[in-house]
Amino acid sequence: MNSKFSMYMITHKNVDFIPSGRTPLFVGKGNNEHNWLRDNLNDNIAQKNPNYCELTAFYYLWKNDKTDDYISIEHYRRFFKEWYNPTLISKEKMLDYLKEYDIVTTQYYNFGETVEEYYKEHHIGDDMVKVKEVIEDKYPEYLSAFNIVMNNRYSAACNMIATSKKKFDAYCKWLFDILFSIEPKIDIENRDAYQKRVFGFLSERLQNVWIIQNRLTVKSLPVYLVQDSKTSSLISTAKLELKNHRGVPKEWY
């Protein structure tokens, strides 16, 4: 029996670059000119998009996608690609990886300092303190994995994953329980638009915690950045350096 696999491209813009095999999923309050699938149908948290970013699509797919065996999430300007190959990864190749590995993530980067230090420098450090408090209270078995991630320099990013729908659902159940628990404790009223995206930022780090705790086998892939409807070079940032594309950093386990 063939596995049902959907590759979702999350977008808040009416872009004209849709790679082969991808299904656009529109988020945010913009005008959905192409009548693509939206995250504001049925059970949803679409109204939280300014603070949750692409996670409103995660939530929508968790609650409403009942037919897929496997699922992947990319962005309208960020896509998985093969190593040492200028083309984006095909649906067929991604499915091959998903039958060999538990999860596909973006490549692991060296942030030049610990994940905790980097978060404090670029975001509101106390938000991550609140996450740790919730984990200590509700998921104490995850505390060791949380500390490993926070004290390590390496991390996958971008909230881009591919995995089985069963694992995706389990991840979302855990993730949103944590985020919904800390939401009432975080005052975002006076933050700028960037820092109001707090729950998206937190989840990028929590994805790594979940992977470690559940000892998942990982295939990490580089990311292509799309500019002007064309694939551009591999994303690079001053402090980001490739760690290991065959799996998680060895010191994690």
Side-chain angles (χ1 to χ4, degrees):
M1 182 180 295
N2 293 330
S3 299
K4 191 170 187 311
F5 172 40
S6 293
M7 300 185 78
Y8 290 99
M9 181 192 81
I10 311 307
T11 182
H12 65 283
K13 296 182 177 181
N14 293 285
V15 295
D16 59 4
F17 181 79
I18 305 174
S20 175
R22 274 66 171 183
T23 299
L25 175 50
F26 202 90
V27 300
K29 295 182 178 180
N31 180 21
N32 184 10
E33 296 176 1
H34 302 292
N35 198 31
W36 290 328
L37 178 66
R38 293 202 71 146
D39 69 339
N40 64 353
L41 304 172
N42 304 314
D43 190 351
N44 71 85
I45 57 168
Q47 76 282 0
K48 296 180 183 288
N49 183 260
N51 311 125
Y52 278 73
C53 309
E54 59 280 331
L55 293 184
T56 59
F58 275 64
Y59 185 94
Y60 173 81
L61 294 170
W62 169 34
K63 293 295 187 179
N64 299 292
D65 182 346
K66 305 297 184 182
T67 61
D68 277 314
D69 299 304
Y70 297 92
I71 189 172
S72 78
I73 294 181
E74 299 167 301
H75 304 165
Y76 72 99
R77 61 190 182 95
R78 295 188 183 99
F79 296 92
F80 289 113
K81 69 176 288 291
E82 284 282 16
W83 289 99
Y84 318 116
N85 189 321
T87 60
L88 303 186
I89 191 168
S90 69
K91 188 173 184 178
E92 293 74 20
K93 185 60 176 178
M94 181 65 88
L95 187 57
D96 286 343
Y97 283 141
L98 292 176
K99 291 181 177 179
E100 182 178 358
Y101 297 87
D102 292 325
I103 191 168
V104 176
T105 71
T106 62
Q107 66 190 82
Y108 288 81
Y109 297 101
N110 179 353
F111 287 89
E113 56 193 331
T114 68
V115 170
E116 181 177 28
E117 290 167 342
Y118 188 89
Y119 195 90
K120 287 180 178 179
E121 284 187 19
H122 295 85
H123 305 291
I124 311 299
D126 189 57
D127 296 341
M128 193 62 76
V129 173
K130 290 181 171 62
V131 168
K132 183 175 183 179
E133 291 172 350
V134 170
I135 289 176
E136 287 176 326
D137 179 51
K138 305 189 75 171
Y139 299 98
E141 69 276 17
Y142 278 80
L143 188 57
S144 177
F146 177 85
N147 289 332
I148 290 172
V149 171
M150 290 299 107
N151 292 311
N152 203 283
R153 294 181 299 163
Y154 305 106
S155 180
C158 301
N159 280 330
M160 290 170 56
I161 66 170
T163 189
S164 70
K165 185 57 166 55
K166 182 177 180 180
K167 288 184 175 66
F168 178 81
D169 289 350
Y171 171 57
C172 286
K173 182 179 179 181
W174 174 81
L175 174 67
F176 285 105
D177 188 32
I178 293 172
L179 298 181
F180 291 164
S181 294
I182 66 172
E183 187 174 358
K185 303 176 183 180
I186 294 180
D187 183 5
I188 60 175
E189 185 66 28
N190 296 318
R191 300 186 184 188
D192 60 31
Y194 180 72
Q195 295 300 346
K196 284 183 178 181
R197 295 160 55 186
V198 51
F199 302 105
F201 298 141
L202 292 172
S203 65
E204 288 184 85
R205 284 72 183 178
L206 287 173
Q207 175 185 299
N208 298 286
V209 175
W210 187 74
I211 288 172
I212 293 175
Q213 176 60 28
N214 291 282
R215 302 190 68 83
L216 302 184
T217 56
V218 178
K219 175 66 178 180
S220 57
L221 293 173
V223 176
Y224 244 45
L225 178 65
V226 176
Q227 296 177 322
D228 299 326
S229 298
K230 297 179 181 179
T231 54
S232 184
S233 60
L234 183 70
I235 292 177
S236 61
T237 304
K239 286 190 175 182
L240 304 190
E241 173 188 317
L242 173 64
K243 168 61 176 176
N244 177 3
H245 73 266
R246 298 293 179 190
V248 300
K250 62 182 181 180
E251 57 266 42
W252 276 16
Y253 291 158

